[in-house]
Amino acid sequence: MRLTQILLRQHIGKHIKKHWRVQGKKIPRESSALQSLKDKNIPIYEPNEILEETRTFEKVDVIGIIPKQIAFDSTHPNWHSRVCHTYKDENVLLEGLNQAKCLTRTVELQQGLPDKIIIKNSSKELDSRVKKIIYNSHLFDSEQVKLPKLKDPERPAWNFPRLLGISESRRNVLMVAKLLQLIESLSGPQLTKQRFVLNDLQFAFPFEKSGDLIQFLIKGDTLITSDKPLQPITQDAGQDVQLPNLYPIKDTVTLNMENIYEMKNVYPVQKAISKHHPHTVFIHYNATEVKNIYEEEVTDDQILGRSLLKTFTVAATYAKEQFGEDVKVLPKPVTMQAVQSDGKFFHFGVLQLNTLDLDSEDGPKNIWYQTDKMSLFESCSYVSGKPTLVGYNNDVIKHLLALYDNV
Amino acid sequence: MSIIRLKALRSLGPSRRCFSVGVQQEDEYVPVAQYPKILDTSYEAKQARKKEAKWKEIKDVKTVEEKQIKLNMPRYYGFKCYVFQEDKVPYNNLNLAQHITKTHLIPTRTLPEFYNDISVDGHLVAIKSQIEEALLIEYEGYKRNNTNLTEKQIEDALSSSIVKQLNRILINNLVEDNSHLLDTQVDYDARIEAFWYAGGMNPPLNVKKYRTGVEWRKHTEDDPVDRAIHYSGSPSVQLRNELPLPPIIPHSEASNPDFKVPFFKYDPRTVGTTTTHKHAANIAGYWPGEKYQFGLMSYHKRGHMLERNFGDEADAKEALHRQGILSSFGWLSAQANMLGFTTFNEITYPMVTQTVITDGQKFSFYLYQMNTILMNGDNYKENPLKNVCWAIPETELFEEIKDGKLVGFNDEVLKSLLKFYKNVPQERLGVNLRPYLAGEKIIANYSDDDKRNWLEREYKYLVSNRPRFKLDYEVYHWEKIYKIDHKTRPIEARRRPFELFVDPWKRTLDDRQPNYIPRKLRPDLPRHKGRYAKEYFP
């Protein structure tokens, strides 16, 4: 047996540690000096009061030093103890369209778009131009960026080679911009003169509903504004139609619960401009960004709900800007059109906003018209090295033309 | 008789037979002896002949994509490129830009005579009011989301949204009378890349060093060396059409001796250019197969001017000229590559583009006529053709915005813009626009599925310039110290490239193992056959 084992049989390491800990905090022993000085009225100072230099430091701006980032916790200037339910670009609602209807107090009176919007036939020439636009935005654009990772649910650990190509967001931007340019070129200067096209606008609509604080914070990717507001569609305020029943869930389910927020109505286009009335909002749908908070795939119904919620936000912020912060039932309904697209599918909707009193039991409701989700084409890709477009559907361009021409 | 002797007799055969027949052909004799041309067997001449043969090979390739792959064949890890970016302009860069693009710069106050025939007065009034309104909206009419953006990014965002408005208004108003605008594709933030060789500049030190190291090459020590140039840029808006714009001056005029190009003899790194390894990529904003291949005009941002703090006004002007020249030439030469020309195969007709650099208020106009893309080797002095660039210096569209109104709107700027839009692209009569493309012209037309797939994958892989899966070669620091500078490990096996005297950068594109085909997927062949997929290098 080795000597060390015997020597270390009594392990005194922890005793030494303890000793250091105890001795490290020296407790001064009470002496009677303090008391006797006090008795003789001799002033007593703490040593630091005399020795320590008292100096206030001025803050100096040093170039190149990055200021400390604001922490997103209770020290944040916009922190509130009351929770706000927010809806943002990347969110979808659990119950999709029905939940959106409950949140915005909206009902559907009929299937399809209002009869006022007349869908005309498209010419062969127009179709060929649209096909060129599809080729151009989906295949022939030369952007090469990393695309989202491919995953196979059957074998989740398998790493596919990373693909490079046109990003989803760019495809959306190109499709909408090019289709819009084509439509405007065909509509003639008399009509286009009355319209204006704005990109990347931020809208915010805060409100309270059943004691919950809710705020919609959304982006209008492209907004067509016009010099006159769109005419209302119907006199029927939907009083006979019931809102969908979501029981047992609450209508704020799957909204983000946040403490850091700023409640402010934002309609970004200024009132002083003649063309500030919203006409049509184009909403981009980006499959990698828009997600459920649980891992399920986004359903078609949720996409339709997204259209309604975003259109409502644009219309409601405009209505508040137009009729004042406290407006409840609007003196004149606000009508607004919406197109949601991921470059392949298109969803068209029209909203007539009658009221911003979203909490009341009865009274007018908002009216929503919509088409089904329609595909512009079945597929557009390189099929074994050949650019191929399959299943072009000209209904989409017909609807777009009809919406643009609507006044 | 042995076979060898028989062969020897046969080789004498024909001449004997000729004599034995005894017929004399009269045209066999000419009064003055004509000898075949004597081949110059010097090293330089042999190299030149080799190069010519290679360029001919590239010229004979049938499709656009294969030509681009062929350009890339010499280097697996890409060429050492001098990088020119549109929005990074170092100090004192104009002469270099002119030299590498062989551009004669004409600063002028008005557009060239060519534009006098285009009348714009009919549209001016109607468009002016709309543009004034659009500018007011863009500057003050709506809230932008500028959080976390630098000054440059804010200006670029403003400039590109103003440009989109201008483009929208101009096209919408002009399209009724100018049908070519309906057939025009508009690109937003397109990706432009161009690659070419420029010659005439002094050799870099390493080249000089190896030249002086070889006795018989010492006299070539100071001979100029070609530089691979890589340009990249991104116009906020660009317009393309199926037909090219008409030339501003005739092609024959391009060799006018009055056109002067400044000669820049130094290494581009002396004026702030950097180098990197890149594959040759020529991208004009679209892939081969697109019909709209000719550029009409492009709008560029100038936010980078805010970051220049040299305090030199003359240099600021030059920086804009540099951007105008490089962005015009870069786009045109990429277009030329899509039409089947390359940096070694000269264009057969001039190409024109119109470039606008703007921040929304200040407008600089450039007109560029590309007459030549041959810049390599001795072409800087031997090729008489020169490219021409007309530059209209910075002018303001309006002076300021006061109380919600535009003050001092400048009609001339708008007129120039209108003239650019009304410049109608035309068919070039009697000119083959794609003389060096034959047969299939693009790979999508090949009937062989496997070949088409392979070429498509390979082409997009190359021009994406993504890093190779295996990282490229480097000499590690410890190797430099213990193996190269101090030979402290003499007994170790010599396996690294610098010990075997090979240059890993000279690895060619096809110097690699083809894809392995698993046995399961192979046709019924003997075990050792059909292991590797077929490759289709041009």
Side-chain angles (χ1 to χ4, degrees):
Chain A
M1 194 179 249
R2 284 193 315 205
L3 187 65
T4 43
Q5 275 177 330
I6 296 159
L7 285 174
L8 290 176
R9 182 145 301 161
Q10 181 168 338
H11 182 41
I12 58 165
K14 57 188 172 192
H15 295 280
I16 293 172
K17 269 188 189 166
K18 180 82 182 165
H19 188 68
W20 272 94
R21 192 174 298 151
V22 170
Q23 291 297 316
K25 287 181 204 155
K26 197 86 177 172
I27 302 157
R29 212 182 291 157
E30 273 297 318
S31 71
S32 56
L34 193 70
Q35 195 52 47
S36 56
L37 286 172
K38 266 185 186 171
D39 293 345
K40 288 170 188 166
N41 282 336
I42 297 171
I44 301 155
Y45 301 99
E46 284 284 322
N48 276 350
E49 284 174 34
I50 297 158
L51 297 173
E52 209 172 53
E53 198 179 3
T54 51
R55 192 157 54 121
T56 51
F57 290 95
E58 275 177 32
K59 206 177 175 192
V60 182
D61 284 329
V62 180
I63 297 166
I65 285 195
I66 302 158
K68 214 176 175 186
Q69 282 195 335
I70 304 166
F72 284 90
D73 55 16
S74 56
T75 58
H76 193 280
N78 286 337
W79 177 272
H80 302 84
S81 52
R82 191 179 173 194
V83 167
C84 177
H85 299 266
T86 59
Y87 180 86
K88 294 179 181 169
D89 293 314
E90 62 275 10
N91 301 135
V92 282
L93 300 167
L94 174 69
E95 285 294 308
L97 187 60
N98 281 349
Q99 194 181 343
K101 281 179 183 170
C102 288
L103 274 171
T104 59
R105 206 179 148 69
T106 306
V107 290
E108 263 182 282
L109 296 182
Q110 64 177 66
Q111 291 280 316
L113 294 182
D115 310 329
K116 198 186 137 194
I117 295 173
I118 304 149
I119 307 222
K120 291 176 203 149
N121 261 336
S122 69
S123 64
K124 258 190 179 174
E125 199 195 342
L126 178 66
D127 287 342
S128 79
R129 285 187 205 287
V130 177
K131 279 182 196 166
K132 277 176 193 167
I133 288 177
I134 299 170
Y135 270 122
N136 215 284
S137 332
H138 284 260
L139 292 182
F140 290 142
D141 186 71
S142 57
E143 188 184 53
Q144 282 186 306
V145 292
K146 269 188 190 172
L147 297 182
K149 276 186 182 172
L150 296 176
K151 279 287 169 200
D152 182 3
E154 295 289 308
R155 28 174 204 169
W158 179 259
N159 285 328
F160 287 94
R162 198 68 187 262
L163 293 183
L164 276 85
I166 312 167
S167 65
E168 280 172 87
S169 52
R170 180 162 172 81
R171 207 177 283 172
N172 283 338
V173 169
L174 287 180
M175 277 304 285
V176 169
K178 289 187 177 208
L179 284 175
L180 210 54
Q181 194 228 322
L182 174 66
I183 289 168
E184 292 204 311
S185 303
L186 298 172
S187 299
Q190 281 311 317
L191 186 60
T192 55
K193 215 161 67 176
Q194 302 163 14
R195 305 276 157 82
F196 202 79
V197 180
L198 295 161
N199 291 306
D200 300 335
L201 301 174
Q202 293 287 340
F203 298 86
F205 179 68
F207 62 99
E208 264 191 68
K209 190 170 193 286
S210 322
D212 288 322
L213 211 53
I214 304 175
Q215 176 155 246
F216 299 153
L217 293 161
I218 63 120
K219 187 174 154 194
D221 296 290
T222 300
L223 180 72
I224 302 179
T225 57
S226 109
D227 57 356
K228 274 177 272 164
L230 279 176
Q231 290 303 311
I233 296 155
T234 171
Q235 298 296 324
D236 184 355
Q239 268 135 330
D240 309 333
V241 188
Q242 289 293 313
L243 284 174
N245 185 7
L246 293 182
Y247 184 82
I249 63 159
K250 221 180 147 187
D251 51 11
T252 53
V253 70
T254 67
L255 293 186
N256 311 308
M257 290 170 42
E258 292 181 2
N259 290 85
I260 299 167
Y261 53 85
E262 212 179 345
M263 301 296 269
K264 204 172 144 195
N265 184 65
V266 179
Y267 179 70
V269 188
Q270 281 180 11
K271 220 175 170 177
I273 294 163
S274 65
K275 295 173 190 165
H276 76 287
H277 309 286
H279 182 277
T280 308
V281 63
F282 286 83
I283 304 156
H284 294 170
Y285 177 80
N286 189 338
T288 39
E289 279 171 17
V290 182
K291 273 183 198 143
N292 269 307
I293 52 172
Y294 44 90
E295 285 180 4
E296 291 294 310
E297 294 234 331
V298 176
T299 62
D300 277 2
D301 197 44
Q302 288 179 322
I303 293 173
L304 306 192
R306 194 169 176 261
S307 293
L308 170 57
L309 218 56
K310 286 206 167 200
T311 320
F312 172 81
T313 312
V314 178
T317 50
Y318 163 76
K320 272 203 173 180
E321 180 96 354
Q322 201 72 359
F323 306 118
E325 273 293 310
D326 303 321
V327 68
K328 292 284 176 193
V329 176
L330 304 185
K332 201 185 154 203
V334 171
T335 314
M336 162 108 231
Q337 307 175 139
V339 181
Q340 187 178 193
S341 168
D342 73 338
K344 187 180 172 193
F345 81 74
F346 280 75
H347 175 233
F348 302 94
V350 180
L351 177 73
Q352 180 175 326
L353 191 74
N354 292 320
T355 177
L356 285 180
D357 186 10
L358 305 175
D359 222 355
S360 74
E361 284 295 310
D362 42 72
K365 299 187 184 83
N366 304 316
I367 315 290
W368 174 244
Y369 301 88
Q370 64 169 13
T371 63
D372 289 335
K373 231 177 89 178
M374 48 178 96
S375 261
L376 182 55
F377 52 85
E378 265 171 45
S379 76
C380 180
S381 59
Y382 281 93
V383 178
S384 80
K386 274 185 183 173
T388 316
L389 173 68
V390 184
Y392 167 72
N393 170 15
N394 63 6
D395 278 350
V396 172
I397 189 69
K398 284 187 218 164
H399 277 77
L400 274 174
L401 270 172
L403 288 190
Y404 188 85
D405 288 343
N406 187 22
V407 282
Chain B
M1 198 186 279
S2 72
I3 295 168
I4 301 166
R5 280 184 65 190
L6 203 135
K7 268 190 183 169
L9 271 178
R10 256 191 215 160
S11 67
L12 291 172
S15 58
R16 276 195 178 181
R17 208 181 299 149
C18 178
F19 280 113
S20 66
V21 173
V23 179
Q24 284 189 355
Q25 290 173 355
E26 273 180 29
D27 51 356
E28 207 174 317
Y29 295 98
V30 282
V32 183
Q34 286 185 350
Y35 298 103
K37 207 178 160 190
I38 298 172
L39 274 186
D40 184 357
T41 50
S42 68
Y43 176 77
E44 287 81 7
K46 272 195 228 161
Q47 289 298 314
R49 279 200 293 275
K50 259 190 197 171
K51 276 184 186 171
E52 289 270 329
K54 272 189 183 171
W55 299 343
K56 172 102 191 357
E57 267 177 35
I58 295 177
K59 192 169 154 183
D60 292 343
V61 175
K62 286 199 289 184
T63 62
V64 178
E65 290 96 328
E66 283 177 294
K67 269 183 207 274
Q68 296 297 313
I69 297 174
K70 184 90 184 168
L71 263 185
N72 276 299
M73 285 306 280
R75 291 288 182 272
Y76 181 83
Y77 289 112
F79 303 93
K80 184 175 180 175
C81 289
Y82 288 71
V83 182
F84 289 78
Q85 279 158 310
E86 183 194 343
D87 57 349
K88 289 201 175 56
V89 190
Y91 188 73
N92 189 15
N93 236 231
L94 181 60
N95 282 353
L96 171 64
Q98 278 183 264
H99 174 80
I100 58 168
T101 57
K102 214 155 180 272
T103 304
H104 169 65
L105 183 71
I106 308 175
T108 157
R109 288 262 146 219
T110 51
L111 291 175
E113 273 177 33
F114 172 82
Y115 283 86
N116 294 351
D117 303 339
I118 304 174
S119 93
V120 292
D121 296 330
H123 294 282
L124 190 66
V125 184
I127 291 177
K128 189 180 160 184
S129 62
Q130 288 182 46
I131 283 184
E132 279 179 331
E133 190 194 7
L135 286 168
L136 284 175
I137 295 179
E138 285 297 334
Y139 275 101
E140 293 180 342
Y142 67 98
K143 213 180 279 174
R144 289 167 188 279
N145 188 11
N146 283 341
T147 41
N148 299 332
L149 294 186
T150 61
E151 213 182 338
K152 175 185 177 235
Q153 285 165 330
I154 291 172
E155 198 200 279
D156 283 349
L158 178 70
S159 141
S160 79
S161 66
I162 289 177
V163 160
K164 277 176 200 163
Q165 298 298 356
L166 289 180
N167 178 55
R168 172 181 172 264
I169 292 170
L170 286 166
I171 289 190
N172 288 349
N173 284 282
L174 294 176
V175 74
E176 281 191 336
D177 308 336
N178 302 273
S179 57
H180 71 274
L181 289 175
L182 193 59
D183 285 316
T184 295
Q185 280 291 337
V186 183
D187 292 337
Y188 303 93
D189 301 314
R191 166 185 171 213
I192 307 294
E193 284 184 31
F195 175 92
W196 69 95
Y197 278 103
M201 286 168 277
N202 285 349
L205 268 182
N206 60 335
V207 175
K208 275 183 137 183
K209 217 169 145 188
Y210 79 62
R211 280 180 181 168
T212 43
V214 187
E215 188 56 43
W216 56 274
R217 293 202 65 184
K218 266 187 184 163
H219 68 284
T220 63
E221 187 193 340
D222 291 324
D223 283 3
V225 165
D226 282 1
R227 304 297 205 284
I229 308 288
H230 183 271
Y231 164 80
S232 65
S234 174
S236 33
V237 170
Q238 71 178 24
L239 276 65
R240 292 184 277 117
N241 199 287
E242 280 182 76
L243 295 173
L245 285 177
I248 299 167
I249 52 169
H251 202 196
S252 51
E253 182 77 1
S255 40
N256 186 346
D258 292 344
F259 291 161
K260 293 276 183 292
V261 177
F263 178 58
F264 189 90
K265 69 174 178 180
Y266 304 105
D267 190 293
R269 280 174 291 193
T270 52
V271 284
T273 313
T274 53
T275 60
T276 183
H277 279 81
K278 271 177 181 291
H279 292 296
N282 286 291
I283 292 156
Y286 52 85
W287 295 124
E290 166 74 341
K291 282 193 180 136
Y292 300 82
Q293 293 204 320
F294 292 95
L296 301 186
M297 64 179 297
S298 58
Y299 289 94
H300 295 259
K301 301 171 272 240
R302 44 172 283 171
H304 62 90
M305 296 297 286
L306 294 174
E307 289 176 350
R308 292 178 81 78
N309 44 14
F310 300 118
D312 182 351
E313 270 186 35
D315 178 70
K317 270 183 201 163
E318 287 189 2
L320 280 178
H321 288 334
R322 185 255 198 200
Q323 191 188 355
I325 288 174
L326 272 182
S327 55
S328 310
F329 179 83
W331 193 28
L332 284 176
S333 94
Q335 286 169 31
N337 275 272
M338 289 292 120
L339 296 164
F341 306 102
T342 62
T343 175
F344 301 125
N345 309 127
E346 176 69 307
I347 48 173
T348 50
Y349 53 92
M351 295 168 75
V352 174
T353 188
Q354 313 167 115
T355 305
V356 184
I357 304 175
T358 177
D359 64 350
Q361 187 181 11
K362 296 171 194 146
F363 281 73
S364 321
F365 296 97
Y366 293 88
L367 279 165
Y368 200 92
Q369 176 162 332
M370 187 172 79
N371 300 311
T372 175
I373 49 173
L374 278 196
M375 321 280 166
N376 57 333
D378 286 339
N379 278 311
Y380 70 96
K381 56 183 181 198
E382 280 172 11
N383 178 5
L385 295 170
K386 283 170 191 102
N387 299 320
V388 190
C389 178
W390 290 264
I392 301 177
E394 195 176 299
T395 7
E396 287 190 344
L397 181 60
F398 59 92
E399 280 165 21
E400 56 176 341
I401 295 176
K402 219 177 191 179
D403 307 328
K405 272 186 183 155
L406 282 183
V407 181
F409 192 89
N410 185 353
D411 284 352
E412 288 307 311
V413 175
L414 183 53
K415 274 184 194 165
S416 304
L417 268 181
L418 278 168
K419 283 184 176 177
F420 279 12
Y421 275 85
K422 290 190 81 174
N423 188 5
V424 185
Q426 285 161 8
E427 234 167 293
R428 298 270 172 97
L429 288 174
V431 177
N432 181 4
L433 295 176
R434 296 163 183 84
Y436 299 153
L437 296 182
E440 283 83 0
K441 291 199 165 106
I442 50 168
I443 54 167
N445 296 338
Y446 275 124
S447 55
D448 182 353
D449 276 359
D450 190 41
K451 181 171 186 178
R452 208 170 47 228
N453 272 322
W454 189 92
L455 285 168
E456 167 72 19
R457 193 178 64 235
E458 211 53 36
Y459 171 65
K460 295 274 164 76
Y461 189 97
L462 275 178
V463 295
S464 73
N465 263 318
R466 61 197 286 186
R468 285 277 172 197
F469 176 69
K470 253 191 177 175
L471 287 186
D472 39 15
Y473 167 76
E474 65 176 310
V475 175
Y476 302 113
H477 282 171
W478 72 268
E479 287 176 332
K480 175 87 169 89
I481 297 167
Y482 295 111
K483 285 185 155 186
I484 298 175
D485 290 353
H486 310 283
K487 306 213 179 321
T488 58
R489 304 159 77 101
I491 305 171
E492 256 178 17
R494 289 180 188 157
R495 301 222 167 89
R496 300 279 290 154
F498 62 87
E499 295 163 330
L500 301 170
F501 305 107
V502 282
D503 184 351
W505 293 107
K506 287 201 171 156
R507 181 175 173 188
T508 52
L509 193 62
D510 54 353
D511 184 5
R512 66 174 196 199
Q513 192 86 286
N515 278 356
Y516 178 72
I517 305 174
R519 195 157 164 69
K520 198 169 89 180
L521 304 176
R522 260 181 253 163
D524 194 18
L525 286 170
R527 201 180 164 78
H528 64 283
K529 280 185 182 165
R531 282 185 179 198
Y532 295 104
K534 203 178 166 195
E535 300 210 286
Y536 299 89
F537 286 108

